[in-house]
Amino acid sequence: MSSGARVGRLRARLLERIVKAFAEADPYRAVTHNKGIMNGVSAVLLATGFDTWAVEEGAHACASLGGAYRPLSTWRRGADGGLVGRLEMPLSVGTVGGASTLTLWPGSTSSCLTWGAPWSLG
């Protein structure tokens, strides 16, 4: 067997192990996995002046639909042999205190302007 074929087989086995090891394996791993996702999502929401509470609650409620806590992301082996991830979660995004707060906290206004948001009050 050529070294290229060996590397290909090792890569395929490694990807399968990664897919099986992710949060779909058990609910305790899913909790930790989802909290990691939410750490990143919350950081972006906080940095841009958005309320994190509704997004956090919605994400964890979505993860427990169907009676069992599951991960917000899933991982599969793609057609090309690579690792393909999918993140699915609700995003109830709203500004803290409503639109009037955008005029009080310049960081929120500048974030909305940067994104080109139609509701920005720049």
Side-chain angles (χ1 to χ4, degrees), residues 40-118:
V41 171
S42 293
V44 172
L45 293 171
L46 284 170
T48 54
F50 288 97
D51 188 3
T52 61
W53 184 83
V55 176
E56 283 272 352
E57 296 300 314
H60 292 295
C62 177
S64 53
L65 288 174
Y69 197 84
R70 62 180 181 80
L72 296 169
S73 66
T74 55
W75 297 89
R76 301 284 177 259
R77 185 172 176 204
D80 65 350
L83 190 59
V84 177
R86 177 185 168 122
L87 174 63
E88 188 174 336
M89 61 181 282
L91 286 173
S92 302
V93 180
T95 56
V96 177
S100 63
T101 306
L102 290 176
T103 59
L104 301 175
W105 191 63
S108 184
T109 302
S110 65
S111 295
C112 291
L113 288 171
T114 301
W115 291 350

